[in-house]
Amino acid sequence: MCRNHARDIVDTDKLVRDHCDNTKSSSDVHLHSHRHGKVVHKHPHYHPPAKKHVDAGDEKQHQHTHAYSFEVYSYADSAIHRLDARTKTVSFVALILAIVLTPASEVWRFLLFMLLIGSLYTTSGVPLSFGIKRSLIIIPFVAFAGLLLIFMPDKPHPSMYEFGFASFPIKHGGIFILFNALIKSWLSILTVVLLYSTTPFPKFIKGLEMLRFPRPITMLFAFMYRFMWVLTDEIKTMIRARDARAFGMKRNLQHMRVIGQMIGSLFIRSYERAERIYIAMQSRGYSGTVNTLDTSVLTRQDVIFILLFFGLLIAILTWRF
Amino acid sequence: MREIIKARNLTYKYPDGTEALKGIDITIRSGERVALLGLNGAGKSTLLMHLNGTLRGEGELEIDGLKMNKANLNKIRSIVGLVFQDPDDQLFLTTVFDDVAFGPINQGLDQNKVMERVKDALEAVDMLWAVNKSAHHLSFGEKKRVAIATVLSMKPKILALDEPTSNLDIKGCKSLESLLINLEQTIVIATHSLDFAWRVCDRSVILSSGEIIADGPTRKVLTDEKLLTSIDFEIPLSALLNKV
């Protein structure tokens, strides 16, 4: 059974659809939906004939997980998700630049940025709570650096804040710098979370390549993405092997030594795997550059989005009362 | 039939001094399905690695009429498709499509041709549905099939597989078996599984400590009890059952 979907017109999708049309095979292309928590995802989906669906009303549902937790929303569907990876990358990087370039004193501009980011989240269907939860990771770093600034002596207008038993010199400029760092980094991270929650990582990398990003760096990203979990699995195996034999081991110096040895052997394993991968690459004609086909095309929606988005950014940056 | 692989007195020493191959003489004709059998460390994988020039030992080796040397290396690598034991080594790009297209692109084919090759290769292993997936979203058996597709897409004349059945479940083995039997290429398989060799290969070569100790039709070699027990092998169950 083949049901076509005119969405996500990437050539590779067409490959499967054509295959279905031509062979009338049992390979199944259909609109598919599954849940992550409360969010329902719908996207074109392919199946080997052997895997069966459980029908749930009109929409077919079945168990399906995305391997990485950061990808939970990447494969959902929305106007933002449907945009080309390049469009999103360029727009969102521009947004981050705009945020960073805004003077901290003009707080209302940040409110506008917040509004913009909020509406992007709403359009994309990625829950804002997910973005906020993910973005909190940046706070300790910035807060730690910023807190030191607060207590630096403030020459022109030293002012003391009294907390009952003690008094601290707190620099007004310092608080300002802390606010500056916090708001900018937080909004930037919210934007980054939005970018990776609306763009599957392989498409993001392909987008970077098509934007003429240096190949070695995109390859580094690609390898990281591909082998992150392979390595994690190897670590898990090693930890299991250790735990199977290390019962009763105390958390002392000896324990530290075991961890050190594990890190060492993980390094050797990765090194050897890298060598095997290199041989596999050479066997398929690798000669110094990794070439992949460009598969996505910019649509009218992309152009409209970019024009609107940059217009908005310029408006927020230059508007005066 | 044409001689497609010809090795004369092939020897190889690993950098640590281990002699892995001690004078291998073998001729494989076009279209043959050959099993390289032997215990761990017998030299099966080492011999396989020689076929596409990953390892280069002493002695003569000719692939499809081309002498193994630096000048011919790239040509030979598009003639011999090597499938590694661990599919996680073979699939190193972010999507199945990119991995399968990697070889054809490196062969300098244009986009349409590459798409066609990818389609054909993935159809052959019945994995076209996974074309946009990432390798880490696939099961081990599925990864193994895609790994074979990455090589099939280069249209190699020779397919060399290193331990294709290791870690594969029964279902995976069966589908791999039917896939290999239906391919037209010359196939060289290094394996421990005598049963797999019995079912897939028409010729079996037994290696022991870097030397060929038996070479002949699978039906004959794998029923030679004296020979098999002398190197701690057993007659494959498939052979015993077929006899009944």
Side-chain angles (χ1 to χ4, degrees), chain A residues 21-39:
Chain A
D21 290 343
N22 294 338
T23 57
K24 296 266 178 275
S25 77
S26 49
S27 298
D28 202 353
V29 183
H30 54 254
L31 181 65
H32 153 84
S33 71
H34 58 260
R35 284 168 192 279
H36 295 293
K38 287 174 190 158
V39 183

Side-chain angles (χ1 to χ4, degrees), chain A residues 2 4 8-23 25 27 29 46 293 295, chain B residues 96-98 100-101 111-123 127-132:
Chain A
C2 294
N4 284 355
D8 207 17
I9 313 288
V10 182
D11 288 346
T12 46
D13 281 346
K14 194 170 170 296
L15 207 69
V16 185
R17 282 195 297 270
D18 286 350
H19 166 71
C20 276
D21 290 343
N22 294 338
T23 57
S25 77
S27 298
V29 183
Y46 326 113
L293 291 184
T295 50
Chain B
V96 165
F97 177 84
D98 283 340
V100 181
Q111 181 159 342
N112 290 332
K113 203 87 188 154
V114 171
M115 294 293 273
E116 206 182 296
R117 288 282 188 89
V118 172
K119 183 172 165 275
D120 291 347
L122 283 174
E123 258 173 351
M127 286 295 293
L128 190 55
W129 59 274
V131 68
N132 283 333

Side-chain angles (χ1 to χ4, degrees), chain A residues 28 47-55 61-63:
Chain A
D28 202 353
H47 264 295
K51 283 192 185 164
K52 286 268 165 21
H53 275 294
V54 181
D55 272 348
Q61 290 198 331
H62 73 148
Q63 286 297 314

